Amino acid sequence: MKTLKDFQRLAASGEFNRLMAEGVADAIAESRALGFPVKAHLDSDHVPAAANFGCTLTLVRHGQSLANAGGLTMPHADIPLTDEGHAQAAALARVLPGSPALVLTSPFLRAQQTATPYCERTGMAARVETLLQEFDAIDPALLQGMDGAQRRPIADAFWQASDAHARMGGAAETFHEFGQRVQRFIDDVLPTLPDGTVAFGHGQWIAMLCWKLLGLGLDDGAAMRRFRLFSSGLPLHNGAIWRVYRLPAGGWHMRAATS
């Protein structure tokens, strides 16, 4: 099992930038060889009838968190919104559907704080769904005392290593386990949701849902590297809104919202 020092050595090595560039180039080549159907599935221009489908799920990424702003490491579940994040949450409450059938939230504080103004506006109580929590890639205990700039090269090295079964500390989950968790949501929760559900969650989680609904696998390190490239290209800014539609013939369609 790789340790924090392993990733720190890779991040500090002179080879890191070269390896990263090669990894990205390889991922692009592999993605093209697989014939990724990303644009056809995610670009609304290719699905003109989507507005006629029932919007089962509106997914919302949380507002800016203290970690997003580069703050010191905290337990993942306890990271709060910044003042800007609270302002984003208030703005989201004004543009999200006014009469949701159900409101779900990740158990993490930043998602729950983002949901609060919306729940106050709609009079709905949010139900905590544990499967919505963000990917716990690295145990916060291993990053104690670090700010965002200090964490970044370690996180980059973790993704460059592309070991889907690496566990970075006792409070972390592996990338493989993360993918399995999102798959459980698709199999066990998504089909049961009433049309008009609104859920507050996280960026990597939304990207993994896209990946899974496209039917893409997570069988090896190359797939993990492709996922990283894929997720980096999606519009997943703080406050991003995505919609999941139940297709009349079965299956799901997912796309980013323009408003």
Side-chain angles (χ1 to χ4, degrees):
M1 182 178 75
K2 292 181 175 63
T3 68
L4 178 62
K5 289 183 179 179
D6 292 328
F7 288 105
Q8 287 174 322
R9 281 194 292 270
L10 178 58
S13 73
E15 292 286 280
F16 181 73
N17 288 339
R18 182 184 65 78
L19 291 171
M20 180 64 81
E22 288 181 357
V24 169
D26 288 347
I28 291 172
E30 290 160 357
S31 298
R32 287 174 176 167
L34 286 174
F36 260 5
V38 174
K39 184 175 177 59
H41 284 262
L42 300 182
D43 186 340
S44 61
D45 291 342
H46 291 266
V47 192
N52 298 322
F53 305 158
C55 181
T56 296
L57 176 62
T58 298
L59 278 167
V60 186
R61 188 187 176 203
H62 61 79
Q64 185 191 69
S65 71
L66 193 62
N68 296 147
L72 293 179
T73 301
M74 298 179 62
H76 294 308
D78 299 336
I79 299 170
L81 296 181
T82 61
D83 289 345
E84 181 175 344
H86 282 290
Q88 290 168 339
L92 284 165
R94 295 191 291 270
V95 300
L96 290 170
S99 301
L102 176 67
V103 178
L104 300 177
T105 181
S106 154
F108 286 7
L109 178 61
R110 54 194 182 275
Q112 295 183 6
Q113 289 182 327
T114 304
T116 295
Y118 181 64
C119 290
E120 291 174 348
R121 173 197 163 204
T122 60
M124 297 285 289
R127 188 182 88 193
V128 174
E129 172 51 66
T130 57
L131 293 176
L132 284 171
Q133 76 179 51
E134 184 60 299
F135 178 30
D136 281 327
I138 304 175
D139 187 338
L142 300 179
L143 304 173
Q144 187 172 3
M146 295 185 185
D147 62 19
Q150 293 167 315
R151 291 190 298 268
R152 173 52 54 193
I154 297 171
D156 287 344
F158 168 79
W159 286 103
Q160 173 60 24
S162 295
D163 183 348
H165 298 279
R167 188 182 306 281
M168 292 297 292
E173 65 182 337
T174 70
F175 182 74
H176 179 72
E177 290 168 344
F178 172 48
Q180 288 183 315
R181 175 159 57 81
V182 176
Q183 187 63 53
R184 288 199 301 276
F185 179 89
I186 294 170
D187 293 341
D188 300 337
V189 178
L190 186 56
T192 71
L193 297 179
D195 287 355
T197 297
V198 177
F200 293 82
H202 307 270
Q204 289 292 334
W205 194 98
I206 294 172
M208 180 59 76
L209 184 65
C210 286
W211 182 269
K212 287 284 190 176
L213 292 181
L214 284 167
L216 301 172
L218 297 171
D219 299 330
D220 53 26
M224 182 175 173
R225 195 164 63 245
R226 288 195 297 269
F227 171 81
R228 180 61 169 173
L229 189 64
F230 170 82
S231 64
S232 298
L234 296 179
L236 289 169
H237 52 276
N238 293 117
I241 301 171
W242 285 72
R243 296 195 174 99
V244 180
Y245 299 86
R246 193 191 314 269
L247 300 178
W252 304 93
H253 166 70
M254 184 172 180
R255 63 177 181 174
T258 56
S259 60

